Amino acid sequence: MSRPRAQRRKKEPGDSPTMADLAKLAGVSAITVSRALRDSPLVNPETRAQIKALAERQGYMFNISARNLRLRRSMTVAVVVEMTPTIERQMSGPYPLDLLGGISQELTSSGYAVLLTSLQGGALPSVQAADGVILLGQGAHEDAMHQVRRWGRPMVVWGAVSRHESQVVVGSDNQRGGALAAERFMALGRRQPVFLGDAAHGEFAERLEGYGRALAGHGLSPLTPPVHGLTVSAGAAAVHALLDNQPQFDALFAASDLLAIGAIRALIERGRRVPEDVSVIGYDDTPLGATYLPPLSSVHQNFTDAGVLLARKILALIEGRPAQSEILPTNLVVRVT
Amino acid sequence: MSRPRAQRRKKEPGDSPTMADLAKLAGVSAITVSRALRDSPLVNPETRAQIKALAERQGYMFNISARNLRLRRSMTVAVVVEMTPTIERQMSGPYPLDLLGGISQELTSSGYAVLLTSLQGGALPSVQAADGVILLGQGAHEDAMHQVRRWGRPMVVWGAVSRHESQVVVGSDNQRGGALAAERFMALGRRQPVFLGDAAHGEFAERLEGYGRALAGHGLSPLTPPVHGLTVSAGAAAVHALLDNQPQFDALFAASDLLAIGAIRALIERGRRVPEDVSVIGYDDTPLGATYLPPLSSVHQNFTDAGVLLARKILALIEGRPAQSEILPTNLVVRVT
DNA sequence: CTGAAAGCGCTAACAA
DNA sequence: TTGTTAGCGCTTTCAG
């Protein structure tokens, strides 16, 4: 009947064969090939082995698009990252990469592909198509969150848990991190602690909260000089200003290693000894801090684990299982400062 | 005639509409919707505007899988990264993320999706499906290269250009970077230079080559003590050993900032002053080096640009255009050391 | 400028 | 255990 119309591109000999091709070669039907390649128990083990061998021999390549179209899903999770490294708020250090590593590892082994995007330019269609979305980056993702929610896509966010009640958020235990710093200072007998970091930043606010609460238990409350930015120089500038105004302090907890290093630099420039005169603790336990002279004590978090957790949460949501926000433990790595 | 068989899943009202749905609503055919949404000049501007408005209003979501199936391409580029952070060869620092940023930016704006993978576990199908592959990571990708080549997929590699003649490689000008370090030492009047780095590493070998050649122009040749690893402590250990055996040197060029920092630490521990007794230059210009005390001079390379270039090359190959290996400029950032 | 027909490669349902 | 049928949503012919 219907005469076959012109094909757009004749199947070239070099092309990878389709399941139908394999089926013909194996003398079975396409669906059997499909089942065999997916290790379905519905197919005879021998048949399966033969088909798999044949596929291998023929250089068969599975067509993901066809499956996704058929299944009405993309088997893809989009990871939205703030990648434009604004000078003042760079997503730098090993942190994002470790996070990505954990995510990718977990998702890949569950058969999902990881789509990396910054949600700028023409990224939208592929993010829309994703079965789920993971939001990384230091906040500023309010807009992205609304966008994704409007699409009705499952979503998991990395960041400050307390700030997004309605979202599934994975974050490290910033409050506990702050408390650890405070406890350390108390153990060292320090009595005039500083917190260095802009609390407008959600995670920083949590760190300050834990720090302040723990100090309050000892009848103390921290100085919180204004800090503008996240860089080494921002930290140095803030401490210089602080030394001008309120030079009486003997301990300093910075919301990031970068700020901590800036602080140390300023302190040394002004003739304060670290750690004799001022104890300093940073956050993130970056190689930068660890290799600094003096080596910086810092609150550590395991980003690879965090990535794995983010991945598990999004998988749960995609599969219709429930998922709650979760807080990862933090611990203090004591070095010299 | 053919009675419609049971649909697997009835089109739910909540589902995003298809082009066919839009077509019905707009009183046109599906193909017209397709053309309108793609800004085809074949469609009447008014019609197009109406259709686009309708799509927006209806919350239409483009089905990428369907298009890809039809087009027989995936509009995807796989980026294979070495993400398992082995202690000794971590892909750390901002470097890979900047590279990824450049890649993602360029590819996304060309309508391609960026698939992040480490080529372990179940990643193969989606990498196979990609229209092109970008290989990052510090070498050790020989196997991955062969794999991808066997699939006949276009491929671009980041790394040492001189090492892979048959591949399209983008790398920074490691030889020039080494030469810059040598020239700086000569300008400072140094006469006994060291190179710190394991030349088994392709990029390191190039750096040593440029360094050695430039020194040879002044009748000098560098000491090349054995180095085992890429970490701070590897650098420190190597320099300690060097000080035991051949303590006569006044300049040290390290193949990475990490090694350089280890070197500085060892030098200071052994009572050498930096930079008075020994000048040190690192490589990569990481924040780690920039904020060290003393701040580390280092060879800088622009990784975002490199990422963009990698993306352009792979796009060229995918579209059948030619592409050559290319070397990016490097420059020396002089700080205190 | 618009449309009708066909099919990309795969897999859920149903039937044998 | 295997096969038949149909169709996922899109876009390229080719014909108006």
Side-chain angles (χ1 to χ4, degrees):
Chain A
M1 316 250 18
S2 54
R3 61 248 132 89
R5 286 308 179 83
Q7 264 101 306
R8 200 173 52 80
R9 177 147 82 82
K10 229 0 206 216
K11 189 170 293 177
E12 322 240 351
D15 284 5
S16 159
T18 69
M19 286 189 180
D21 297 332
L22 296 181
K24 208 164 295 172
L25 288 171
V28 298
S29 73
I31 186 67
T32 299
V33 174
S34 171
R35 294 203 255 248
L37 295 181
R38 278 178 296 151
D39 290 318
S40 160
L42 288 179
V43 74
N44 182 313
E46 286 182 27
T47 320
R48 180 198 311 169
Q50 284 173 15
I51 293 176
K52 286 190 144 185
L54 179 68
E56 178 73 25
R57 219 174 323 127
Q58 298 286 321
Y60 169 74
M61 288 181 180
F62 183 75
N63 186 320
I64 296 185
S65 295
R67 180 201 53 185
N68 290 349
L69 176 58
R70 180 65 240 243
L71 262 34
R72 296 154 145 275
R73 10 190 346 201
S74 66
M75 295 303 283
T76 284
V77 171
V79 177
V80 178
V81 190
E82 185 94 28
M83 255 174 315
T84 46
T86 320
I87 298 138
E88 277 303 307
R89 20 188 308 255
Q90 50 183 342
M91 176 136 172
S92 79
Y95 134 42
L97 204 69
D98 288 350
L99 223 36
L100 283 175
I103 291 171
S104 150
Q105 172 190 320
E106 185 71 10
L107 251 24
T108 312
S109 64
S110 303
Y112 281 79
V114 178
L115 203 69
L116 189 68
T117 158
S118 51
L119 205 47
Q120 296 157 340
L124 290 103
S126 36
V127 179
Q128 277 186 333
D131 293 331
V133 178
I134 297 177
L135 253 38
L136 303 186
Q138 321 260 25
H141 267 321
E142 298 299 321
D143 42 349
M145 270 177 38
H146 296 320
Q147 181 85 274
V148 175
R149 188 144 38 171
R150 201 172 314 125
W151 296 334
R153 287 277 167 280
M155 171 175 41
V156 173
V157 181
W158 165 257
V161 174
S162 63
R163 292 307 192 79
H164 306 286
E165 299 295 345
S166 61
Q167 296 301 322
V168 175
V169 180
V170 172
S172 61
D173 195 341
N174 291 299
Q175 305 216 10
R176 174 117 186 84
L180 287 169
E183 285 161 15
R184 169 80 182 151
F185 287 155
M186 294 304 97
L188 291 170
R190 307 286 165 162
R191 302 297 297 172
Q192 301 177 77
V194 175
F195 176 83
L196 197 68
D198 183 355
H201 192 307
E203 297 182 80
F204 287 10
E206 292 186 348
R207 289 165 200 179
L208 172 55
E209 204 176 319
Y211 184 61
R213 206 194 313 275
L215 290 173
H218 296 260
L220 300 177
S221 78
L223 291 177
T224 56
V227 185
H228 308 291
L230 303 176
T231 59
V232 172
S233 49
V239 169
H240 272 299
L242 181 64
L243 286 168
D244 291 337
N245 303 323
Q246 299 175 278
Q248 304 302 325
F249 60 93
D250 57 11
L252 187 149
F253 170 45
S256 81
D257 275 13
L258 248 45
L259 291 174
I261 283 172
I264 293 178
R265 173 171 301 179
L267 288 168
I268 291 176
E269 283 171 5
R270 298 286 282 263
R272 306 286 177 116
R273 289 168 305 159
V274 176
E276 293 83 355
D277 299 330
V278 181
S279 254
V280 178
I281 293 180
Y283 212 104
D284 284 345
D285 190 26
T286 58
L288 203 157
T291 60
Y292 205 68
L293 285 180
L296 179 65
S297 297
S298 192
V299 177
H300 177 88
Q301 24 190 351
N302 188 327
F303 291 110
T304 305
D305 287 355
V308 170
L309 207 55
L310 282 164
R312 294 212 179 121
K313 302 275 179 204
I314 199 68
L315 287 175
L317 292 178
I318 290 172
E319 291 163 11
R321 289 181 282 124
Q324 282 96 39
S325 290
E326 193 162 335
I327 289 178
L328 284 151
T330 42
N331 63 290
L332 179 65
V333 179
V334 174
R335 298 205 175 83
V336 175
T337 54
Chain B
M1 314 86 281
S2 54
R3 62 246 130 94
R5 286 307 179 81
Q7 263 102 306
R8 200 174 51 81
R9 174 147 83 83
K10 233 351 209 218
K11 189 169 294 177
E12 322 239 350
D15 283 5
S16 157
T18 69
M19 286 189 180
D21 297 332
L22 295 181
K24 209 163 294 170
L25 288 171
V28 298
S29 72
I31 185 62
T32 299
V33 174
S34 171
R35 294 203 256 248
L37 294 181
R38 278 178 298 150
D39 290 319
S40 160
L42 287 179
V43 72
N44 182 313
E46 286 181 27
T47 319
R48 179 199 311 170
Q50 284 172 16
I51 293 177
K52 285 191 146 187
L54 179 67
E56 178 72 26
R57 217 174 324 127
Q58 298 286 322
Y60 170 73
M61 287 181 182
F62 183 75
N63 187 319
I64 296 185
S65 294
R67 179 201 53 187
N68 290 350
L69 176 57
R70 180 64 240 241
L71 260 36
R72 297 153 143 273
R73 11 188 348 200
S74 66
M75 295 303 283
T76 283
V77 171
V79 177
V80 177
V81 190
E82 185 95 28
M83 255 173 317
T84 45
T86 321
I87 298 136
E88 278 303 306
R89 22 188 308 254
Q90 49 184 339
M91 175 134 173
S92 79
Y95 133 44
L97 204 70
D98 288 349
L99 223 36
L100 284 175
I103 290 170
S104 150
Q105 171 191 319
E106 186 72 10
L107 250 25
T108 309
S109 64
S110 304
Y112 281 78
V114 178
L115 205 68
L116 189 67
T117 159
S118 52
L119 206 47
Q120 295 157 342
L124 290 104
S126 36
V127 179
Q128 277 186 335
D131 294 330
V133 178
I134 296 177
L135 253 39
L136 303 185
Q138 321 260 26
H141 267 320
E142 299 298 321
D143 42 349
M145 270 177 38
H146 296 319
Q147 180 87 273
V148 175
R149 187 144 40 172
R150 200 172 317 125
W151 296 334
R153 288 277 167 280
M155 171 176 38
V156 174
V157 181
W158 165 257
V161 175
S162 63
R163 291 305 192 80
H164 306 287
E165 299 296 345
S166 61
Q167 295 302 322
V168 175
V169 180
V170 172
S172 61
D173 194 340
N174 292 299
Q175 304 216 10
R176 174 116 186 84
L180 286 169
E183 286 162 16
R184 167 83 182 151
F185 288 154
M186 293 304 97
L188 292 171
R190 307 285 164 162
R191 302 296 298 169
Q192 300 178 77
V194 175
F195 176 84
L196 196 68
D198 183 356
H201 192 307
E203 299 183 80
F204 288 10
E206 292 186 349
R207 289 165 199 178
L208 171 56
E209 204 175 318
Y211 185 62
R213 205 194 315 272
L215 290 173
H218 295 260
L220 300 176
S221 78
L223 292 177
T224 56
V227 184
H228 308 292
L230 303 175
T231 59
V232 172
S233 48
V239 168
H240 272 299
L242 182 63
L243 287 167
D244 292 338
N245 302 325
Q246 300 175 278
Q248 305 303 323
F249 59 93
D250 56 12
L252 186 149
F253 170 45
S256 81
D257 274 13
L258 249 44
L259 291 174
I261 284 173
I264 293 177
R265 172 171 301 179
L267 288 168
I268 291 176
E269 284 170 4
R270 299 287 282 265
R272 305 286 176 117
R273 289 168 307 159
V274 176
E276 293 82 355
D277 299 332
V278 181
S279 255
V280 177
I281 294 180
Y283 212 105
D284 284 344
D285 189 26
T286 58
L288 205 156
T291 60
Y292 204 68
L293 284 180
L296 179 65
S297 297
S298 193
V299 177
H300 177 89
Q301 24 189 350
N302 187 327
F303 290 110
T304 305
D305 287 355
V308 169
L309 206 55
L310 283 165
R312 294 213 178 122
K313 302 274 180 206
I314 199 69
L315 287 175
L317 291 178
I318 289 173
E319 291 163 10
R321 289 181 282 124
Q324 281 98 39
S325 290
E326 192 162 336
I327 291 177
L328 284 150
T330 42
N331 63 291
L332 179 65
V333 180
V334 175
R335 297 203 176 84
V336 175
T337 53

